[in-house]
Amino acid sequence: MTTRRPPSPEPFLWLLFSGGGMIAALLVPVLLFLFGVAFPLGWLTAPDHAHLLSVLQNPITKLVLFGLCVLALFHWAHRFRYTLYDGLQLKRFSVPIILFCYGGAVAGSLISGYLLLRA
Amino acid sequence: MADRITLEVARYRPESDSEPVMESYEVPLREHWAILDGLTYIKDHLDGSLSFRWSCRMGICGSCGMTVNGDPTLTCATFLTDYAPGPVRVEPLRNFPVIRDLVVDIGDFMEKLQAVKPWVVRDVHSPIEAGEYLQTPDELDEYKQFSMCINCMLCYSACPVYALEPHFLGPAAIALAQRYNLDSRDEGAAEREDVLSSPDGIWACTFVGECSAACPKDVDPAAAIQRYKVTAATQAVKNFLLPRGAR
Amino acid sequence: MSGLYQRPISTFWWLERRSYLVFVLRELSSVFVAWFVVYLLLLVNATSAGSTQYERFLDWSAHWWVVVINLIALFFVLLHAVTWFGLAPKAIVVRRRGRRVPPSQILVLHYLAWLLLSAFVAWVILR
Amino acid sequence: MATFHDVVVIGGGGAGLRAAIAVAETNPRLKVAIVSKVYPMRSHTVSAEGGAAGVAAADDSLDEHAYDTVSGSDWLSDQDAVEAFVAEAPRELLRLEHWGCPWSRQPDGHIAVRAFGGMKKMRTWFAADRTGFHLLHTLFQTALSYPDIVRYDEWYVTKLLVDEGKVRGVVAIELATGRVETITASAVIVCTGGCGRVYPFTTNANIKTGDGMALAYRAGAPLKDMEFVQYHPTGLPFTGILITEAARAEGGWLLNKDGYRYLQDYDLGQPSPTPVLRSMELGPRDRLSQAFVHEFEKGRTIDTPYGPIVHLDLRHLGAKLIDAKLPFVRELCSKYQNIDPVTELVPVRPVVHYMMGGVHTDIHGATPLEGLYAAGEVACVSINGANRLGSNSLPECLVFGTRAGRAAAVFAGRYGDTVPAAILAQGRDEERRLKRELERHAEGHERIADIRSEMQTTMENGAGIFRDGDSLAKAADELRELRVRFADAAIDDHSRTFNTELVALLELSFMLDVAESIIACALQREESRGAHQRTDFPARDDARFLAHSLITREPDGTGRVRYLPVTITRWPPGERVYGR
Ligand SMILES: Cc1cc2nc3c(=O)[nH]c(=O)nc-3n(C[C@H](O)[C@H](O)[C@H](O)COP(=O)(O)OP(=O)(O)OC[C@H]3O[C@@H](n4cnc5c(N)ncnc54)[C@H](O)[C@@H]3O)c2cc1C
Ligand code: SF4
Ligand code: F3S
Ligand code: FES
């Protein structure tokens, strides 16, 4: 019998990171293009409020958006943590970095949950 | 084609230098001459005190890795004519301590290699008399790519994470662990897990992918690492969900 | 052993090679993914607060600096998507009838999924 | 300072690693060390391509493998050794399979075998065409699982320590620091590989400088059959990189400048579209290399800047087979020759490849010097006689590496770790000598590389594929001159850290010893047999020379040759017949 170390959180963080990376790659470009570029620049007319609200209030939409927000935030947290470690060589500050990144992701997830539930 | 080319070679003599200095040598530029032939020409005819490693000069022993014009390269398998008209900068492999001139210290890798248990682990070794363990060509293909590693260290030299984090297990060691994990004859995956799935193991790799780009043998260590991340993460979820006994 | 030489690593090591720079940019894309989440939540908040708030949001989003940020964000998010799909086949090994599905096929599948999903999302919103 | 190990193995190639594991398996209480001038996985075994012979197929038999080996050796091998060898080879190859060697397989999962030159049956195990690479890495990685095997990586052995006729250790330089250390032992196994670098054009790696042969020779052990130097018929011009015999075993043809399969003119059988075992391109290496020289003399080879060549034609094999079975050949051709064997002809010429001779041992790997063992290419048991068959060498490393390891373990187990004071004193003497050498040669004038390349030319001219009394006598004279010049060789490098020039100097001095022994043995053998072809004595002469030559070093440094009868058990000398 091999003795096991206490389970490390890394695999779970990595799963969240990967899930976020995948969903972000699949969904964010189109959403960002529409709402961030095409509508503001008038290339396409923005949907009217009623339609958007009805889409938003669909529980499936809420679920998908919630998943997107949580995973995307953890994706950011994980990647950004390593970017700070490696890109800026800040590994010696790993505790505050971890708190900032994953703490930020948790806080953001809570906010998104609240906002989406309320919608 | 000019018939000579200049090699700018990093010289480091620990007794007298505090850091490497570049020295230029002119060597013949001939067809079929590898960078290594240029270096042996220097050693044989111009300056016998230049130190570098080489042996097979056929790209299989893994001795002759150096940084050529900034890229990690097997010097016996890249050719002077490809760099004409020069000059060509030849430096020791990055990310390793330099012992002398173009010779680096790879002791760190040798320890990591041993740490991942790169040998067949089995609960019961069947006797030789029972014949070979059967393994179909498809099963062989599963791990074959990862068994091609010549330990040339180009991947370590290319990986920025290893540069910043010397404790990182690194591409080749992980690829070799995967070579055994994926071998149908091996049962040691669980024993390797602790080392591989540690913060200094696969999780330190941020998938820069330069290791695979540098690898002269198409081992694709980056793929080995990513595949193991999937395996390790699945395993962790299983461990988390299932009670201990049921595993 | 007398003096080993350890090459110092510059803070700007990622400028030394093009591939390192691409890597660092790829990693930075995560910041823009996070920015998008913020932007999305602002949109959600405005939409649920009623049509005037929603119109306000639309006006704000048309400010030149917001558009510039979003254009940059879009660039990074696309970089993220392309690199992500490019690397995914390395991690994923799919087997069909005992044979390994070639990585190129997995790549194509990813792009197909991307295309279909994007079209679907656009249809839902623009319908 | 001195460290003690029960058994010290010099060399981390196929033979050395196998021997070290055998010691650890035989007696786990023994401390065993591997001292190697390169990291073990860089040893030259890594370059072996084609495969390793061992009877595996149902239609094959040990006797047939033995007969092929004995006739291939032109009856100069010891048949008791050959019988032991063929019996144990399959077991060793299987053991390697159990250790993880990625042997190529048949669809049903069993080991696949291929044809090889001079072999009547398909019995060569292979791992694509990187057999040596996989074999070496498997052995090395398996050796890592034995915590009791201590390694001295990149340590260069300069001397064997002998007291009262017993070998009790070595002196070695740690290359990284220049530190000289005495490593004492109860038994020493020499596994330092061959000496192809004595010649100018060779498949052998830079490290194959015959160190172990010279170390043993200087310590008083005899060298055996040194005149038998194998030329491989297919090396790439310029680099000398080997195109494995497997290329011909898979169906490749040798063509002269007229596109003609010239081997049919040399009593090697008639051409057929598919390969026929022991015939044509699958004849033995000595005969194929000799045929090349005859073609050259008839003006039917092609001139290139790197000497005359013929062509190896693989085009009819097709890309699929080449990629499956000969991927490394394709890689090497495209990298080093800029050609694609799928569509183009591969230029090849004979190239020095292997030493049949070496340190004289019995079938347990023991040399006449107590406590000294040898295995692998450095040793001569002999199973190779006057000509080695392709793919017999890797299993030889395994079989006799194991045997030497076991014998040394048993021998060392009887000793304690007390080492005679005389040995330690010798170690200190050697340390002083090395220091003096460095100082003395710092004042020298001759370039090491010049002496080395002249020695190589001398050997090629004097003791090439064909030799005669005159060419050999001339070579002997030239070597004597080179030795004088060597005394004045210059070292530019005065550093202790990784001084590769000092290593080059020591290697050159070893090579000069080996070269002299080759010439001396070749001069005395007035017959033609296998790889030793005397144009002045073209016939085999069993009456006088069905015997091993043994050369020992006299106190004045010269070699004395005597003969030892060949052991014949079941196969009386006969005619070597190929293609019929
Ligand atoms: C290109 C090529 C292809 C071949 N293909 C085949 C094939 O297909 N089939 C086959 O059967 N045979 C083949 N051979 C032959 C076979 O590979 C070799 O004979 C065999 O590998 C020799 O193994 P070894 O263990 O004796 O020596 P090596 O592998 O040469 O190892 C020698 C070891 O000794 C060490 N050493 C040497 N001198 C010193 C010193 N002074 N101090 C410390 N250490 C020292 C070295 O570091 C090294 O570790 C081939 C040979 C060549 C050149
Ligand atoms: S993985 Fe590739 S680059 Fe890295 S050591 Fe192995 S062969 Fe060299
Ligand atoms: S370059 Fe380094 S970060 Fe990972 S993918 Fe390769 S090991
Ligand atoms: S010298 Fe062996 S790999 Fe280059």
Side-chain angles (χ1 to χ4, degrees):
Chain A
M1 187 66 212
T2 50
T3 49
R4 282 182 180 281
R5 283 172 298 105
S8 133
E10 288 293 342
F12 300 98
L13 296 174
W14 182 79
L15 276 176
L16 290 170
F17 157 79
S18 305
M22 187 56 90
I23 196 166
L26 288 172
L27 290 180
V28 173
V30 61
L31 289 172
L32 191 60
F33 172 73
L34 289 174
F35 287 101
V37 180
F39 301 151
L41 291 181
W43 295 352
L44 291 168
T45 39
D48 60 43
H49 178 250
H51 171 64
L52 200 61
L53 192 64
S54 75
V55 170
L56 185 60
Q57 282 174 339
N58 183 321
I60 295 181
T61 314
K62 286 190 179 185
L63 202 69
V64 170
L65 289 185
F66 181 63
L68 173 64
C69 289
V70 173
L71 290 175
L73 284 172
F74 274 95
H75 173 78
W76 161 77
H78 197 69
R79 238 185 193 175
F80 198 57
R81 168 182 156 211
Y82 279 102
T83 313
L84 293 179
Y85 281 6
D86 299 340
L88 298 179
Q89 302 183 33
L90 294 177
K91 183 133 191 198
R92 55 189 183 281
F93 301 120
S94 72
V95 174
I97 289 178
I98 285 175
L99 285 178
F100 170 71
C101 291
Y102 298 112
V106 171
S109 301
L110 291 176
I111 296 174
S112 71
Y114 167 74
L115 289 178
L116 283 165
L117 264 184
R118 210 188 51 170
Chain B
M1 192 165 83
D3 63 350
R4 301 191 80 75
I5 188 165
T6 301
L7 295 187
E8 291 172 356
V9 183
R11 301 299 306 268
Y12 171 66
R13 309 157 189 93
E15 288 93 345
S16 54
D17 301 342
S18 58
E19 59 177 27
V21 283
M22 301 302 289
E23 254 173 56
S24 291
Y25 303 92
E26 240 192 20
V27 304
L29 176 59
R30 302 216 182 106
E31 213 199 336
H32 298 314
W33 268 39
I35 306 281
L36 182 63
D37 293 310
L39 293 174
T40 50
Y41 181 89
I42 295 174
K43 187 161 186 69
D44 287 351
H45 301 288
L46 306 176
D47 184 346
S49 73
L50 178 66
S51 275
F52 52 95
R53 293 188 179 107
W54 66 288
S55 182
C56 71
R57 55 90 185 81
M58 57 190 278
I60 192 79
C61 76
S63 311
C64 67
M66 297 170 207
T67 308
V68 178
N69 278 2
D71 297 326
T73 310
L74 280 189
T75 47
C76 73
T78 32
F79 297 86
L80 285 172
T81 42
D82 296 339
Y83 293 88
V88 191
R89 255 179 105 81
V90 185
E91 295 161 279
L93 280 182
R94 304 257 157 94
N95 303 347
F96 293 95
V98 180
I99 297 177
R100 164 86 194 270
D101 296 344
L102 299 166
V103 179
V104 296
D105 179 4
I106 63 163
D108 176 55
F109 167 74
M110 299 305 284
E111 278 169 28
K112 286 170 175 166
L113 180 65
Q114 185 145 19
V116 302
K117 303 194 176 181
W119 52 81
V120 170
V121 175
R122 286 178 74 92
D123 289 342
V124 187
H125 282 275
S126 85
I128 300 294
E129 292 71 33
E132 69 265 52
Y133 298 124
L134 294 185
Q135 181 168 69
T136 63
D138 281 347
E139 285 169 332
L140 175 64
D141 277 343
E142 265 305 292
Y143 68 91
K144 197 159 135 209
Q145 181 176 29
F146 301 141
S147 74
M148 295 303 210
C149 172
I150 61 172
N151 301 354
C152 66
M153 300 295 100
L154 300 192
C155 52
Y156 283 75
S157 179
C159 173
V161 172
Y162 181 62
L164 297 159
E165 195 45 72
H167 295 299
F168 175 37
L169 203 49
I174 300 177
L176 278 161
Q178 270 295 67
R179 172 247 174 278
Y180 282 94
N181 280 342
L182 297 173
D183 189 324
S184 58
R185 296 166 290 188
D186 178 83
E187 296 167 347
E191 283 185 34
R192 292 184 197 101
E193 188 182 328
D194 272 2
V195 178
L196 290 178
S197 183
S198 70
D200 287 329
I202 46 170
W203 305 116
C205 160
T206 49
F207 211 163
V208 179
E210 279 299 284
C211 52
S212 292
C215 178
K217 295 286 144 185
D218 291 326
V219 174
D220 203 351
I225 301 176
Q226 303 323 305
R227 281 181 66 179
Y228 195 71
K229 282 182 187 169
V230 177
T231 313
T234 324
Q235 189 62 39
V237 172
K238 267 196 210 146
N239 291 353
F240 182 72
L241 294 179
L242 293 178
R244 255 178 183 273
R247 266 175 235 157
Chain C
M1 208 177 295
S2 68
L4 292 174
Y5 171 73
Q6 195 95 37
R7 188 169 165 271
I9 299 157
S10 104
T11 319
F12 302 104
W13 59 266
W14 34 273
L15 288 178
E16 275 171 19
R17 296 170 66 85
R18 219 182 76 95
S19 50
Y20 288 172
L21 184 64
V22 172
F23 159 71
V24 166
L25 292 179
R26 186 190 88 191
E27 298 298 284
L28 277 180
S29 71
S30 65
V31 172
F32 294 93
V33 169
W35 155 254
F36 167 78
V37 173
V38 172
Y39 188 73
L40 178 73
L41 290 177
L42 289 175
L43 170 67
V44 168
N45 188 32
T47 313
S48 53
S51 64
T52 32
Q53 288 292 331
Y54 175 62
E55 292 301 328
R56 273 245 205 86
F57 176 86
L58 288 185
D59 291 344
W60 173 75
S61 71
H63 274 301
W64 68 267
W65 60 270
V66 182
V67 176
V68 168
I69 291 182
N70 277 332
L71 276 172
I72 297 173
L74 185 64
F75 164 79
F76 273 97
V77 169
L78 285 172
L79 176 72
H80 164 73
V82 170
T83 50
W84 191 268
F85 295 144
L87 296 178
K90 285 198 189 269
I92 308 172
V93 175
V94 188
R95 233 171 289 274
R96 271 237 313 268
R97 279 184 237 109
R99 294 228 155 254
R100 191 172 161 182
V101 179
S104 56
Q105 268 185 37
I106 299 183
L107 186 73
V108 169
L109 284 177
H110 272 96
Y111 274 95
L112 245 133
W114 190 25
L115 204 81
L116 288 176
L117 259 177
S118 301
F120 176 73
V121 168
W123 175 74
V124 168
I125 294 170
L126 297 173
R127 182 171 48 141
Chain D
M1 202 185 135
T3 327
F4 175 82
H5 302 274
D6 294 285
V7 181
V8 164
V9 180
I10 314 176
L17 289 166
R18 188 62 193 90
I21 295 174
V23 174
E25 280 176 333
T26 307
N27 186 347
R29 284 197 314 279
L30 294 182
K31 290 193 286 181
V32 49
I34 298 177
V35 186
S36 175
K37 65 177 172 177
V38 296
Y39 280 96
M41 71 281 184
R42 319 260 191 245
S43 302
H44 190 60
T45 299
V46 81
S47 302
E49 299 170 26
V55 170
D59 68 338
D60 199 1
S61 70
L62 298 182
D63 280 2
E64 283 175 281
H65 189 187
Y67 179 77
D68 286 344
T69 304
V70 168
S71 59
S73 79
D74 222 346
W75 276 271
L76 194 66
S77 52
D78 286 325
Q79 297 180 5
D80 53 344
V82 172
E83 289 190 72
F85 165 70
V86 298
E88 287 166 32
R91 220 186 132 77
E92 282 299 325
L93 297 174
L94 268 178
R95 190 183 307 276
L96 220 42
E97 194 280 332
H98 282 224
W99 284 338
C101 187
W103 295 116
S104 293
R105 303 281 177 155
Q106 305 169 32
D108 65 1
H110 285 283
I111 298 292
V113 284
R114 66 163 40 132
F116 235 71
M119 302 270 192
K120 187 77 187 161
K121 290 279 163 65
M122 303 232 273
R123 62 169 74 98
T124 296
W125 302 36
F126 60 103
D129 53 359
R130 292 186 177 89
T131 309
F133 163 76
H134 286 301
L135 186 140
L136 183 67
H137 280 253
T138 303
L139 279 172
F140 174 59
Q141 290 164 4
T142 302
L144 291 178
S145 73
Y146 291 83
D148 296 332
I149 299 180
V150 177
R151 290 201 328 268
Y152 292 77
D153 292 339
E154 301 196 318
W155 285 61
Y156 185 85
V157 174
T158 65
K159 188 179 167 65
L160 296 178
L161 299 175
V162 191
D163 183 48
E164 295 180 352
K166 287 198 197 79
V167 173
R168 296 303 306 267
V170 306
V171 174
I173 309 174
E174 182 183 35
L175 295 181
T177 60
R179 192 158 56 102
V180 177
E181 195 166 321
T182 300
I183 306 172
T184 60
S186 303
V188 173
I189 312 178
V190 184
C191 301
T192 53
C195 61
R197 287 273 154 180
V198 169
Y199 283 80
F201 185 62
T202 173
T203 60
N204 285 195
N206 183 37
I207 57 172
K208 299 202 74 170
T209 48
D211 301 3
M213 296 172 185
L215 284 169
Y217 185 57
R218 289 178 185 181
L223 303 180
K224 182 159 78 186
D225 293 340
M226 292 298 284
E227 62 273 41
F228 297 100
V229 178
Q230 178 164 76
Y231 279 75
H232 193 292
T234 59
L236 291 181
F238 179 53
T239 55
I241 288 173
L242 178 80
I243 298 304
T244 169
E245 193 158 281
R248 280 171 284 130
E250 296 298 341
W253 298 330
L254 282 172
L255 308 177
N256 67 13
K257 84 175 198 206
D258 308 318
Y260 171 70
R261 287 176 73 183
Y262 59 90
L263 292 178
Q264 58 191 290
D265 298 355
Y266 299 95
D267 198 19
L268 283 159
Q270 285 308 308
S272 80
T274 49
V276 175
L277 294 161
R278 266 179 84 105
S279 149
M280 289 296 290
E281 281 84 0
L282 285 181
R285 293 174 178 174
D286 53 344
R287 301 279 292 272
L288 264 59
S289 295
Q290 289 150 19
F292 173 91
V293 177
H294 292 307
E295 282 296 290
F296 169 71
E297 282 161 358
K298 291 180 195 156
R300 302 203 298 197
T301 54
I302 303 148
D303 282 327
T304 75
Y306 302 116
I309 58 138
V310 290
H311 280 132
L312 177 66
D313 187 357
L314 303 177
R315 294 171 303 180
H316 52 286
L317 302 182
K320 205 167 153 225
L321 185 139
I322 291 178
D323 284 342
K325 298 234 172 117
L326 304 167
F328 196 40
V329 166
R330 196 171 181 188
E331 183 185 324
L332 291 170
C333 285
S334 89
K335 266 241 158 71
Y336 294 94
Q337 206 70 43
N338 273 329
I339 54 164
D340 183 356
V342 172
T343 53
E344 289 164 281
L345 294 168
V346 184
V348 291
R349 56 180 277 222
V351 52
V352 169
H353 184 56
Y354 183 85
M355 269 309 283
M356 267 70 76
V359 182
H360 170 47
T361 75
D362 64 14
I363 62 174
H364 304 291
T367 72
L369 206 56
E370 206 180 329
L372 185 69
Y373 297 78
E377 192 171 338
V378 71
C380 182
V381 182
S382 129
I383 64 159
N384 300 315
N387 172 61
R388 170 180 76 100
L389 292 192
S391 78
N392 263 355
S393 168
L394 291 174
E396 176 184 358
C397 289
L398 301 173
V399 168
F400 291 100
T402 308
R403 281 177 159 249
R406 285 200 190 125
V410 170
F411 178 84
R414 291 193 246 119
Y415 278 84
D417 55 3
T418 44
V419 175
I423 289 289
L424 301 178
Q426 270 187 42
R428 286 189 296 272
D429 283 350
E430 174 67 359
E431 186 173 348
R432 277 190 291 274
R433 178 188 76 97
L434 288 169
K435 199 155 160 264
R436 267 200 319 273
E437 291 278 282
L438 236 144
E439 283 162 9
R440 187 164 66 87
H441 286 285
E443 320 274 291
H445 301 90
E446 293 270 2
R447 288 207 78 86
I448 292 173
D450 292 344
I451 302 175
R452 187 173 55 214
S453 81
E454 278 176 50
M455 170 196 69
Q456 291 167 336
T457 318
T458 296
M459 292 305 286
E460 180 70 40
N461 295 340
I465 297 177
F466 289 96
R467 54 273 303 248
D468 61 38
D470 293 343
S471 76
L472 289 164
K474 185 158 164 267
D477 288 343
E478 287 170 0
L479 286 177
R480 265 190 295 278
E481 272 168 41
L482 286 171
R483 201 173 267 294
V484 175
R485 286 172 58 189
F486 175 79
D488 190 30
I491 289 192
D492 300 347
D493 192 344
H494 311 308
S495 166
R496 282 166 66 84
T497 313
F498 225 96
N499 190 333
T500 48
E501 202 177 25
L502 174 63
V503 171
L505 180 95
L506 296 170
E507 285 176 342
L508 178 57
S509 90
F510 286 152
M511 283 195 285
L512 285 169
D513 280 11
V514 171
E516 280 177 351
S517 69
I518 293 174
I519 298 293
C521 291
L523 247 175
Q524 303 254 328
R525 185 177 287 273
E526 296 177 332
E527 64 154 355
S528 290
R529 182 188 297 270
H532 174 72
Q533 294 290 316
R534 290 274 304 248
T535 46
D536 46 354
F537 297 95
R540 193 171 92 188
D541 183 352
D542 285 344
R544 285 174 69 204
F545 290 108
L546 186 60
H548 300 294
S549 45
L550 281 189
I551 181 165
T552 27
R553 192 165 184 263
E554 297 290 290
D556 67 352
T558 56
R560 193 169 60 90
V561 181
R562 51 200 172 94
Y563 289 91
L564 186 75
V566 168
T567 308
I568 294 187
T569 58
R570 294 163 54 197
W571 297 279
E575 195 199 344
R576 285 173 85 199
V577 180
Y578 292 96
R580 273 179 272 151

